[in-house]
Amino acid sequence: MGKPHVVTLRAIRAGDLDALFLIEQDDVAVHMAAFTPPDPTDRAMFDAHWHRLLADAGVDARTIRADGDIVGSVARWVDEGTPEITYWVDRAHWGEGIATRAMRLFLDARDERPVRARVAADNAGSIAVLEKLGFTLVGTEVSFANARGTEIEERIYTLA
């Protein structure tokens, strides 16, 4: 394994959206994420979604950079009174520890707990990231996954 990446977070800028859109076009990553927009290739829908998020004071969305390059995003919002987080890292960087470091930076900057995260039950990489960060499995539900065109099991994790 090479030298660890320097991972940083910054508030998402409109100029980051081109890179983030491209990162989210990877078919394998879309399948693994499962709970995606109906058409992840629809740029107008992507831009409208991000512009809504960036205009919402209750959302904290950050660009993940590794060695200065944009490699993903992490975001937090409130769902039914509970903070919830999500992240996406470029598949070219899976297994390099970037997601774990980015999520740790993000969580350390926000002292609110509990925080919830949801993940497809077969997404072993994201499950490993959450468990390394101290999240515990608190439940499951079956939800429709646009990227798979069917209902799948979704695991619900909480960091207390």
Side-chain angles (χ1 to χ4, degrees):
M1 189 170 183
K3 179 182 167 191
H5 296 282
V6 174
V7 177
T8 57
L9 302 178
R10 72 166 185 225
I12 290 180
R13 302 171 181 167
D16 296 343
L17 296 180
D18 287 342
L20 295 175
F21 181 74
L22 288 175
I23 288 167
E24 294 186 20
Q25 297 309 296
D26 183 278
D27 290 339
V28 172
V30 168
H31 178 82
M32 194 56 60
F35 303 100
T36 62
D39 180 4
T41 66
D42 184 333
R43 180 61 193 256
M45 182 182 291
F46 174 89
D47 286 342
H49 169 77
W50 274 103
H51 289 295
R52 274 192 311 277
L53 291 179
L54 297 175
D56 186 336
V59 173
D60 184 1
R62 307 289 176 103
T63 298
I64 301 170
R65 297 188 309 160
D67 305 323
D69 296 326
I70 295 173
V71 297
S73 64
V74 59
R76 171 252 179 229
W77 70 97
V78 176
D79 181 43
E80 297 177 4
T82 301
E84 189 157 330
I85 60 170
T86 189
Y87 72 93
W88 191 297
V89 171
D90 187 342
R91 185 166 67 103
H93 294 284
W94 288 3
E96 297 176 8
I98 292 170
T100 302
R101 285 199 293 284
M103 289 282 284
R104 189 173 315 281
L105 286 169
F106 190 78
L107 291 164
D108 286 352
R110 305 191 65 90
D111 60 3
E112 63 190 352
R113 301 291 186 269
V115 177
R116 182 173 52 217
R118 297 172 179 267
V119 61
D122 62 353
N123 188 337
S126 283
I127 289 168
V129 168
L130 294 173
E131 290 177 349
K132 281 181 208 169
L133 294 167
F135 281 78
T136 56
L137 180 64
V138 296
T140 62
E141 59 186 43
V142 174
S143 303
F144 186 81
N146 285 320
R148 303 192 190 174
T150 190
E151 290 186 341
I152 65 168
E153 182 178 304
E154 182 176 28
R155 292 186 178 179
I156 304 163
Y157 285 82
T158 299
L159 179 64

